[in-house]
């Protein structure tokens, strides 16, 4: 059995995730990490910029909104990811059971609790009304959709009986379901690149060449291959965590691939069968990766790159905050302060040369942000961020 020690895994991470050797385009970045966490659009943008030879916000927007070679989807773990458009059908089919069907059942239950006598029939009518509206509206907001048809303007109570109780138009909830089904897609946001207020568009208008992939087993195998090529060697439970699949679906997906079992420190893992060669040691490198970055979040078992720092750079719900990396290891955290400056906090002694390189990266990021303040979204502040923010 081939052995992959921690040093080899860190070298693989550095090279394959475009950290030791940045790449040219946002498409190259996305393929380097399989999929980009995009619930927080600012995090996604910073993930791409950290891996580009010539970082460019305009280039990321070109890929997402002009060429549409990248597309945002509600897929793994009910999380928005940006994926290469040629793989969009596979990601949707691979998570249909775990996300789309689950979201549909939750909406049925919500309608039933609000007094709707036949939620499935009601949703079928609302679904048809929404599809018709998509074609009329082009690019639209949730409010535009609600105003397009009285059926879609109906409101349901969310979190009834709790202090979080509120009423929301069915259009907003339906967009979540229909995005997981692949009928509608997040378009350019309203406001700046850091805005979370997305507009929407019909998938068949946004990506007319997209064809539905109905074989979920085949789709899960493709997604597993994409992930294992970038994150292997890894344990099956790492893939199960990343995708949100059941253990059975994970095992079946891996069973469709030619894999090899390898020895890891503390257990065994898998790689693609033709991917056993060692990685040449890259030049020394440092990186400032944003919250929820795919490298930081890509495995369930993280000790080999996280070390003792989990409590400092993750929030109480297990979401990664901004992290500082050196040669494949997390060595600190950072934060964007309210004045737009970037502050860093090292949690390990990295030496004078690496410290200077980290400070230079922080200054470069601060200059690139040009005063844009990015706050924690879809997660809580980490202890390092709270300390730096005072």
């Amino acid at each position: 059995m081939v052995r992959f020690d921690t040093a080899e895994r860190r070298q693989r991470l550095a090279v394959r995730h475009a950290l030791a050797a940045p790449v040219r385009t946002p498409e190259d970045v996305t393929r380097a990490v399989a999929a980009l966490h995009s619930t927080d659009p600012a995090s996604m943008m910073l993930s791409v910029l950290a891996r580009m030879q010539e970082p460019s916000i305009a280039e990321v927007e070109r890929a997402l909104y002009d060429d549409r070679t990248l597309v945002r989807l509600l897929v793994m773990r009910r999380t928005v990811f940006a994926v290469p458009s040629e793989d969009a059908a596979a990601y949707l089919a691979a998570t249909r059971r775990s996300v789309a069907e689950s979201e549909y059942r939750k909406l049925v239950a919500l309608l039933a609790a609000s007094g709707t006598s036949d939620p499935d029939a009601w949703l079928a009518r609302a679904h048809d009304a929404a599809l018709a509206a998509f074609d009329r509206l082009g690019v639209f907001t949730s409010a535009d959709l609600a105003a397009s048809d009285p059926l879609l303007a109906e409101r349901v109570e969310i979190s009834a009986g709790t202090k979080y109780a509120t009423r929301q138009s069915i259009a907003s909830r339906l967009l979540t379901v229909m995005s997981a089904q692949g009928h509608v897609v997040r378009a350019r946001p309203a406001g700046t690149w850091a805005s979370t207020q997305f507009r929407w568009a019909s998938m068949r208008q946004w990506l007319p060449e997209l064809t539905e992939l109905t074989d979920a087993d085949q789709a899960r195998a493709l997604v597993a291959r994409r992930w294992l090529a970038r994150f292997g060697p890894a344990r099956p439970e790492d893939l199960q965590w990343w995708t949100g699949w059941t253990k059975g679906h994970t095992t079946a997906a891996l069973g469709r691939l030619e894999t090899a079992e390898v020895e890891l420190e503390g257990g065994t893992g898998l790689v693609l069968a033709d991917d056993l060669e060692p990685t040449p040691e890259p030049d020394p490198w440092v990186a400032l990766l944003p919250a929820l970055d795919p490298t930081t979040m890509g495995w369930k078992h993280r000790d080999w790159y996280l070390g003792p720092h989990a409590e400092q750079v993750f929030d109480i719900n297990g979401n990664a905050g901004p992290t500082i990396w050196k040669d494949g290891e997390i060595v600190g955290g950072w934060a964007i302060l309210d004045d737009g400056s970037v502050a860093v906090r090292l949690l390990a002694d990295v030496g004078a040369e690496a410290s200077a390189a980290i400070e230079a990266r922080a200054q470069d990021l601060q200059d690139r942000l040009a005063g844009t303040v990015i706050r924690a979204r879809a997660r809580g502040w980490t202890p390092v961020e709270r300390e730096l923010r005072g």
Side-chain angles (χ1 to χ4, degrees), residues 206-222:
W206 194 258
L207 287 179
E209 69 277 13
L210 184 71
T211 56
E212 185 177 3
L213 185 61
T214 57
D215 188 332
D217 292 333
Q218 178 185 348
R220 282 190 286 267
L222 185 146

Side-chain angles (χ1 to χ4, degrees), residues 83 193 232:
V83 305
W193 58 267

Side-chain angles (χ1 to χ4, degrees), residues 15 27 77 80 83 123 128 164 180 195 198 215 243 257 297 321 354 386:
V15 173
E27 293 90 342
R77 307 190 311 278
V80 180
V83 305
L123 272 178
D128 290 344
Y164 304 107
S195 171
F198 283 104
D215 188 332
T243 57
L257 307 179
M297 297 288 290
R386 288 197 298 270

Side-chain angles (χ1 to χ4, degrees), residues 57-70:
I57 291 171
E59 266 294 283
V60 182
E61 293 181 324
R62 184 270 309 161
L64 282 168
Y65 310 125
D66 298 330
D67 295 349
R68 301 175 187 176
T69 47
L70 301 178

Side-chain angles (χ1 to χ4, degrees), residues 4-13 265 279 282 304 327:
F4 283 79
D5 61 15
T6 294
E8 166 63 24
R9 296 185 76 183
R10 290 177 178 176
Q11 287 169 195
R12 279 195 164 212
L13 175 155
E265 293 184 7
T279 304
W304 59 276
D327 299 331

Side-chain angles (χ1 to χ4, degrees), residues 76 94-95 98 219-221 223-224 239-240 243-247 249-250 253:
M76 288 82 67
T95 56
S98 58
R220 282 190 286 267
V223 170
L239 175 61
Q240 182 180 348
T243 57
W245 295 338
T246 64
K247 183 177 181 179
H249 284 160
T250 305

Side-chain angles (χ1 to χ4, degrees), residues 24-215:
R24 191 172 61 85
T25 69
E27 293 90 342
D28 293 335
V29 170
T30 307
R31 294 186 185 98
V33 293
L36 283 160
H37 193 290
S38 195
T39 296
D40 182 347
S43 262
M44 182 213 151
M45 182 69 75
L46 297 182
S47 288
V48 177
L49 298 182
R51 294 171 168 88
M52 286 183 69
Q53 294 170 3
E54 297 181 9
S56 167
I57 291 171
E59 266 294 283
V60 182
E61 293 181 324
R62 184 270 309 161
L64 282 168
Y65 310 125
D66 298 330
D67 295 349
R68 301 175 187 176
T69 47
L70 301 178
V71 60
R72 287 183 170 110
L73 304 174
L74 184 66
V75 281
M76 288 82 67
R77 307 190 311 278
R78 196 190 175 277
T79 296
V80 180
F81 283 87
V83 305
S85 296
E86 65 265 24
D87 288 341
Y91 277 96
L92 288 166
T95 56
R96 185 179 298 128
R97 179 75 62 84
S98 58
V99 180
E101 293 180 11
S102 174
E103 289 301 307
Y104 178 84
R105 290 193 299 270
K106 286 193 287 186
L107 185 51
V108 166
L110 187 65
L111 288 168
S114 68
T116 304
S117 58
D118 189 345
D120 287 295
W122 194 96
L123 272 178
R125 295 194 300 275
H127 184 275
D128 290 344
L131 285 178
F134 294 166
D135 292 335
R136 295 195 308 271
L137 294 171
V139 177
F140 57 90
T141 65
S142 174
D144 294 333
L145 183 62
S148 71
D149 190 292
L151 193 65
L152 302 176
E154 292 196 27
R155 303 181 76 81
V156 292
E157 188 171 12
I158 312 298
S159 303
T162 74
K163 64 179 180 180
Y164 304 107
T166 184
R167 294 186 66 79
Q168 192 176 55
S169 74
I170 198 66
S172 178
R173 305 293 293 191
L174 192 60
L175 280 171
T176 298
V177 174
M178 296 184 76
S179 66
Q181 293 170 336
H183 294 298
V184 67
V185 63
R186 287 163 175 79
R188 190 185 295 269
T192 71
W193 58 267
S195 171
T196 58
Q197 301 301 310
F198 283 104
R199 297 183 178 96
W200 299 83
S202 163
M203 181 69 86
R204 64 187 177 191
Q205 291 182 354
W206 194 258
L207 287 179
E209 69 277 13
L210 184 71
T211 56
E212 185 177 3
L213 185 61
T214 57
D215 188 332

